[in-house]
């Protein structure tokens, strides 16, 4: 998951020609020092296990909060449903997003 011109997009389904002239932000560009509210909440809630899905989850969560700074639990679940976590840390992911929304 990356952000293209500020909106999330699946990097694995995006052709290079589709991003010509556009701004692409990867997980590394979200913040220089893990200071983005979602990244801080992720650590506080101890979300990561294997790490396989984490960059996509974080980028999706950041996109959600950019669009909707105070989402309901149902809105979080709906937005995040495109990202699969093999370890099943969904409850922690939701808590982290709720925390990031509260603490900004």
């Amino acid at each position: 998951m990356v952000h293209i011109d500020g909106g999330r997009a699946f990097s694995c389904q995006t052709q290079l020609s589709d991003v010509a002239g556009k701004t692409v932000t990867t997980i590394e560009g979200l913040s220089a020092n893990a200071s983005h509210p979602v990244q801080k909440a992720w650590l506080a809630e101890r979300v990561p296990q294997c790490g396989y899905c984490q960059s996509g989850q974080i980028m999706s969560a950041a996109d959600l909060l950019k669009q909707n700074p105070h989402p309901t639990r149902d809105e979080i679940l709906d937005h995040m449903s495109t990202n699969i976590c093999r370890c099943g840390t969904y409850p922690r992911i939701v808590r982290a997003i709720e925390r990031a929304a509260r603490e900004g």
Side-chain angles (χ1 to χ4, degrees):
M1 191 68 64
V2 296
H3 294 175
I4 300 174
D5 283 346
R8 72 178 176 161
F10 289 98
S11 58
C12 59
Q13 297 176 350
T14 304
Q15 294 185 23
L16 184 58
S17 61
D18 292 339
V19 297
K22 297 181 180 178
T23 301
V24 178
T25 305
T26 64
I27 186 74
E28 292 83 7
L30 195 56
S31 72
N33 57 359
S35 62
H36 189 281
V38 172
Q39 291 170 312
K40 292 189 318 190
W42 233 250
L43 295 174
E45 293 295 333
R46 300 177 181 223
V47 174
Q49 273 189 250
C50 76
Y52 182 79
C53 72
Q54 296 308 300
S55 60
Q57 298 280 5
I58 289 169
M59 295 301 281
S60 284
D63 176 66
L64 169 62
L65 294 178
K66 182 178 177 184
Q67 293 177 43
N68 181 357
H70 301 287
T72 65
R73 181 171 282 257
D74 285 342
E75 290 169 329
I76 293 169
L77 294 173
D78 182 58
H79 188 85
M80 298 301 291
S81 68
T82 59
N83 294 77
I84 297 171
C85 175
R86 293 179 179 187
C87 299
T89 63
Y90 298 112
R92 287 186 271 174
I93 289 168
V94 171
R95 282 196 311 267
I97 295 169
E98 290 172 334
R99 178 187 284 246
R102 271 193 322 272
E103 298 177 359

